[in-house]
Amino acid sequence: MPLPTIARIESRRLALRPVNAGDLPDLIAVNGDPEVTQFLPYATWQSPQDGEAWLARMEALGATGTGRQLVVVRRSDSRAIGTLLLFRHDEGSARVELGYALGRAHWRQGIMREAIEAACSHAFEALGIRRIEAEVNPDNVASCTLLTRVGFVLEGALRKRWVAKGAAYDTNVYGCLVDEWLAGRAAG
Ligand SMILES: CC(C)(COP(=O)(O)OP(=O)(O)OC[C@H]1O[C@@H](n2cnc3c(N)ncnc32)[C@H](O)[C@@H]1OP(=O)(O)O)[C@@H](O)C(=O)NCCC(=O)NCCS
């Protein structure tokens, strides 16, 4: 069974919903910024065509049933301010990987923490996922801190795991299990 389509997830300030072509003008403000894309596997968007090519890749991923590309929408004005990806879904192990990016104007306001908490709640409680994992370059302090704050556990470091943008880099592996997530929620 493919990873189910996610119609909409709401939190206090945000909504997560599937990306569509109408989001691309907003997303250029996110992915057209080299500070945002520094640790991402794709190049900074230079043109609308880069956004269209990215959307085509995300639609192809969705068609495989192993990934769902969502946008992080600000509920106050319905603008897309970031992206959140669930991918590498493994049905047999009920496992999925998480990726995300937020426009720089919105950093350090608890936005991505709110988005990830909403996405994890949905994945664990509605989709039956039992493990969510994330791979992060250890130099990406913001992302490493964010995951720890949300409740992910640093499980290990893989040396020179990926090559991107001409350089090999180490990768921290973070994991979050459904039981510890539910226990954390119950403890408040
Ligand atoms: C990583 C990223 C999504 C963080 O989003 P954000 O909305 O600014 O994060 P939040 O405000 O929710 O912060 C969550 C926690 O991380 C901490 N944090 C966020 N940015 C930080 C930074 N630059 N340095 C240290 N800590 C940071 C916050 O202080 C907060 O901790 P707290 O709850 O103790 O206050 C954002 O910096 C980003 O989009 N970066 C570029 C894309 C990217 O690298 N994506 C991840 C690829 S693995």
Side-chain angles (χ1 to χ4, degrees), residues 41-109:
Y42 52 85
T44 310
W45 295 3
Q46 306 288 351
S47 67
Q49 288 71 34
D50 289 340
E52 288 160 15
W54 171 85
L55 181 61
R57 292 198 303 276
M58 294 308 107
E59 287 174 345
L61 177 70
T64 69
T66 62
R68 300 289 170 216
Q69 178 65 64
L70 307 176
V71 281
V72 178
V73 172
R74 189 166 52 190
R75 286 174 61 183
S76 60
D77 59 5
S78 299
R79 301 293 295 268
I81 58 172
T83 57
L84 188 146
L85 177 65
L86 296 175
F87 67 122
R88 296 199 185 119
H89 174 237
D90 185 297
E91 183 190 355
S93 299
R95 184 183 71 234
V96 75
E97 189 166 333
L98 174 69
Y100 41 81
L102 183 68
R104 186 150 45 107
H106 312 285
W107 288 2
R108 308 297 299 252
Q109 299 167 40

Side-chain angles (χ1 to χ4, degrees), residues 2 5 10 25-26 29-30 35 38-39 46 56 63 74 93-94 115-116 120 123 135 139 141 175-176 182-183:
T5 306
E10 291 203 342
D26 281 347
V30 180
E35 285 202 41
Q38 179 185 2
F39 295 109
Q46 306 288 351
R74 189 166 52 190
S93 299
I116 291 175
C120 288
E135 293 190 357
D139 292 338
V141 174
C176 184
L182 295 176

Side-chain angles (χ1 to χ4, degrees), residues 36 100 102 107-110 112-113 140 142-143 145-146 149:
V36 173
Y100 41 81
L102 183 68
W107 288 2
R108 308 297 299 252
Q109 299 167 40
M112 196 50 79
R113 180 174 181 163
N140 190 348
S143 188
T145 307
L146 165 64
R149 293 287 190 270

Side-chain angles (χ1 to χ4, degrees), residues 123-136:
F124 286 135
E125 295 165 27
L127 304 184
I129 295 294
R130 46 165 290 283
R131 172 182 166 87
I132 302 176
E133 55 193 27
E135 293 190 357
V136 185

